[in-house]
Amino acid sequence: MPLNFKPIHCPKCNEKQPQIRKPKGWKEILWGGNTCKNCGCKMDRFGKERK
Ligand SMILES: [Zn+2]
């Protein structure tokens, strides 16, 4: 399973994303990724914006 262990940053506001977080939904469980708590931007585990 490919994983990215490097810290990622929000593509919009550059907020550093926590490595350990609660997934917001099954898509985040499935794909990894984050929802920025600063601006709400969704991104994948590589820090690319997801629409
Ligand atoms: Zn952000």
Side-chain angles (χ1 to χ4, degrees):
M1 189 175 175
L3 287 171
N4 176 21
F5 292 110
K6 287 182 199 163
I8 60 172
H9 292 79
C10 176
K12 279 192 173 166
C13 70
N14 212 35
E15 173 90 351
K16 192 182 175 195
Q17 303 300 310
Q19 289 293 87
I20 298 166
R21 79 283 176 277
K22 273 192 175 170
K24 287 254 162 54
W26 67 269
K27 276 187 183 172
E28 287 194 2
I29 296 169
L30 197 61
W31 298 110
N34 277 304
T35 302
C36 178
K37 60 180 188 297
N38 194 41
C39 72
C41 177
K42 288 183 179 11
M43 72 208 77
D44 66 18
R45 63 176 172 271
F46 303 107
K48 278 182 85 175
E49 188 179 358
R50 209 175 54 204
K51 306 218 166 149

